Amino acid sequence: MASLRKTALLAGGVILALGAVVAVRTATFKAPAGADFSQIKLATAPAIDQALAAQHLSQAVQIPTISHQNPADNQREQWTRLHDWLATTYPASHAAMTREIVLNNSLVYTWQGSDPSLAPIILMAHQDVVPISEGTEKEWRHAPFAGEIAEGAVWGRGSVDDKGSLVGLFEATEALIKSGFKPKRTIYIVSGEDEEAGGAGAKAASDLLKSRKVMALFTLDEGSVILSDHPVTGGPATLIGVAEKGYATLRIAAAGQGGHSSAPPKQTAVVSLAQAVIAINNSPFPMKFEGPGAEMMRYLAAHGSAVTKMAVANSWLFGPLLVKQMGASAAGAAMLHTTIAPTMLAGSPKENVLPQTATAWINYRLAPSTASSAVMAKAQEATKGLPVTLSWEKAPREPSPVSSTTSEGWKLIAATANAAKPGSPLAPSLVIAGTDSRSMTPVSTDVYRFQPILFAMNDTKMIHGTNEHMTLENLARMTTYYAQLIATAAG
């Protein structure tokens, strides 16, 4: 009896001590150091005619620079139209900068700074847009390439992704130049031609800058936004992408006996293929509370519920709970692990013919902690013993490096982003899709992904979807943000 009492007292003591540790860590919890950018003194942005900016975005949307799945279907004259339009619409910018065309239609602008000792900055926005999904044309409230200004917004494909950024950048540079601004730090504006189809143009631009031994303080591209209804804060949160996931497509091929479907063998190519796909899909990468997804929670926890704050402050204890909470949504889960998505199948050309070969494709988005070699090894282990062969459809794209949240570049971008939506908690984030900015890693100390657009989570569906539009409020926020960032970073 005495030993039981002693054990109970010991257990109680452990629980009390554990509770005390949790309480103290929760009470003293602070956001990471990168949340403090108060030492950055922001420059004042020049006045920008926002009505004219809206007209300019409307005009840009009306130039259908569509990247089709088959590049041969692209209308290259539309890129030339866009280049001519940029030169005509922004004459001061084109007089102050040099413009170079790389690959076919990618643009590299150089705005020379007066102090060569300062590392330059790279600002990006791509020219191309995705097609309209077949059969959805009538679902658009305003024609997708009319660029209508209605209902307090500019409507059309590319108004957000990414001609909104392209126009925003040039509205900013035009206003700065006309105000007499002269940069101390050199500024590069890189505009890729094919971000929606692989990003070869951005790679060519990066190669050009690398040949000139450019090493930028930072690169800024699209990728993350200001969410008005972030699930952690219950309100707004400004998210800056510090990394993006890698990309790889696995090809699975299964061979089998062909012939008539009336007398099938026990194991057909299709059966082998189905077993392989299921085996791979049933062997997921575990979700972990680590990397940029976890950092986002650490930055925002102080603005969340008491339970969230306690869990993040004591992630050593509540890590599994945090993973379960974030992993409850597909987008949240994608930030915590490498995802596996079977997407395409090919087999017999006719329903009563047994195929000699059946093929499937699985698309992976690689978390920062996962290399493509680990993905292949895991797939091979899952399909061990099955009569299939595995190969990459094309060379995988590895995850990007994770950029700093304490560097000068981070502080400049974060301080300006904070000014775009004062009072909104700010955090680093992981971009689960891909951007052209990944190509700038060899020529940039840090790479960030952010557009100062205020979106509800549901609004993100219009990107690559139906009824894409840029509100006039967001357009004004973007033009002002780019002007203030340039003036602060290069002034």
Side-chain angles (χ1 to χ4, degrees):
M1 198 69 179
S3 62
L4 286 175
R5 193 178 300 112
K6 185 177 181 180
T7 300
L9 287 171
L10 181 62
V14 170
I15 291 171
L16 286 172
L18 187 63
V21 170
V22 169
V24 169
R25 289 179 66 91
T26 302
T28 58
F29 175 77
K30 293 181 180 180
D36 181 16
F37 36 80
S38 56
Q39 70 273 36
I40 299 296
K41 184 178 180 180
L42 294 175
T44 301
I48 296 173
D49 186 335
Q50 297 300 338
L52 186 58
Q55 292 177 28
H56 288 161
L57 179 55
S58 168
Q59 292 163 9
V61 168
Q62 293 173 53
I63 304 173
T65 47
I66 302 171
S67 274
H68 292 280
Q69 188 69 25
N70 181 0
D73 295 333
N74 294 346
Q75 299 177 8
R76 287 296 164 191
E77 66 275 11
Q78 300 298 346
W79 276 257
T80 302
R81 280 185 62 200
L82 182 63
H83 297 176
D84 293 344
W85 176 83
L86 284 169
T88 301
T89 306
Y90 303 107
S93 297
H94 283 73
M97 305 181 200
T98 60
R99 187 188 80 174
E100 297 171 273
I101 298 177
V102 297
L103 196 60
N104 298 307
N105 293 291
S106 296
L107 302 174
V108 178
Y109 289 87
T110 304
W111 191 1
Q112 194 64 47
S114 60
D115 187 348
S117 70
L118 296 175
I121 62 174
I122 301 172
L123 306 172
M124 302 185 74
H126 63 85
Q127 303 165 55
D128 61 325
V129 302
V130 296
I132 306 303
S133 298
E134 188 175 351
T136 66
E137 293 84 354
K138 292 183 179 179
E139 297 176 17
W140 285 72
R141 283 152 59 181
H142 303 276
F145 288 103
E148 289 188 43
I149 302 175
E151 303 176 64
V154 179
W155 294 76
R157 176 63 83 228
S159 55
V160 174
D161 183 18
D162 190 25
K163 288 178 178 172
S165 294
L166 186 63
V167 167
L169 280 170
F170 276 98
E171 292 292 327
T173 58
E174 197 77 359
L176 283 165
I177 293 164
K178 289 180 177 178
S179 74
F181 176 80
K182 296 185 186 301
K184 295 177 183 176
R185 192 188 300 273
T186 295
I187 299 157
Y188 295 101
I189 296 178
V190 175
S191 184
E193 65 196 76
D194 61 346
E195 191 272 349
E196 304 290 5
K203 176 64 166 58
S206 177
D207 289 344
L208 175 68
L209 296 177
K210 186 177 180 180
S211 73
R212 296 173 180 171
K213 296 182 169 50
V214 169
M215 181 51 66
L217 178 67
F218 66 78
T219 289
L220 177 66
D221 196 8
E222 61 173 341
S224 293
V225 298
I226 308 168
L227 281 179
S228 63
D229 53 352
H230 195 282
V232 173
T233 66
T238 300
L239 305 178
I240 299 173
V242 293
E244 64 182 64
K245 298 182 86 173
Y247 184 103
T249 298
L250 184 70
R251 186 178 188 272
I252 310 170
Q257 181 181 328
H260 201 286
S261 64
S262 60
K266 289 183 178 180
Q267 187 81 6
T268 68
V270 169
V271 170
S272 297
L273 182 70
Q275 290 171 335
V277 171
I278 290 171
I280 291 172
N281 195 64
N282 287 349
S283 181
F285 287 82
M287 289 187 286
K288 298 179 181 179
F289 190 69
E290 63 181 26
E295 278 298 286
M296 178 188 71
M297 291 289 285
R298 292 188 179 98
Y299 273 70
L300 298 180
H303 306 276
S305 68
V307 172
T308 298
K309 181 180 178 180
M310 179 187 70
V312 173
N314 298 277
S315 58
W316 56 278
L317 178 63
F318 297 111
L321 176 65
L322 289 165
V323 167
K324 184 177 181 181
Q325 181 185 28
M326 284 189 70
S329 69
M335 298 189 75
L336 298 179
H337 72 152
T338 292
T339 55
I340 303 172
T343 54
M344 295 171 64
L345 298 167
S348 174
K350 200 171 188 297
E351 76 269 15
N352 63 348
V353 175
L354 297 172
Q356 289 182 289
T357 303
T359 310
W361 289 264
I362 297 181
N363 185 244
Y364 292 84
R365 301 302 175 102
L366 282 61
S369 59
T370 307
S372 61
S373 58
V375 172
M376 178 61 80
K378 191 173 180 67
Q380 289 171 335
E381 179 63 27
T383 57
K384 192 174 182 179
L386 291 173
V388 297
T389 58
L390 308 181
S391 61
W392 294 122
E393 182 66 12
K394 58 183 178 180
R397 187 175 76 229
E398 302 297 334
S400 78
V402 178
S403 294
S404 172
T405 53
T406 57
S407 65
E408 182 185 359
W410 164 265
K411 291 173 182 176
L412 285 164
I413 289 171
T416 318
N418 183 64
K421 180 63 177 174
S424 173
L426 184 145
S429 185
L430 175 64
V431 175
I432 60 176
T435 73
D436 267 347
S437 67
R438 65 181 177 272
S439 292
M440 297 299 138
T441 298
V443 293
S444 191
T445 302
D446 288 304
V447 177
Y448 301 104
R449 302 150 184 90
F450 174 69
Q451 289 171 290
I453 300 173
L454 181 64
F455 266 174
M457 290 186 70
N458 196 52
D459 290 336
T460 59
K461 294 177 182 178
M462 69 177 168
I463 300 175
H464 289 202
T466 301
N467 288 318
E468 182 179 353
H469 62 279
M470 173 74 75
T471 67
L472 300 183
E473 181 182 356
N474 274 330
L475 181 59
R477 186 179 287 111
M478 288 185 73
T479 58
T480 302
Y481 172 83
Y482 288 129
Q484 190 168 41
L485 176 63
I486 292 169
T488 302

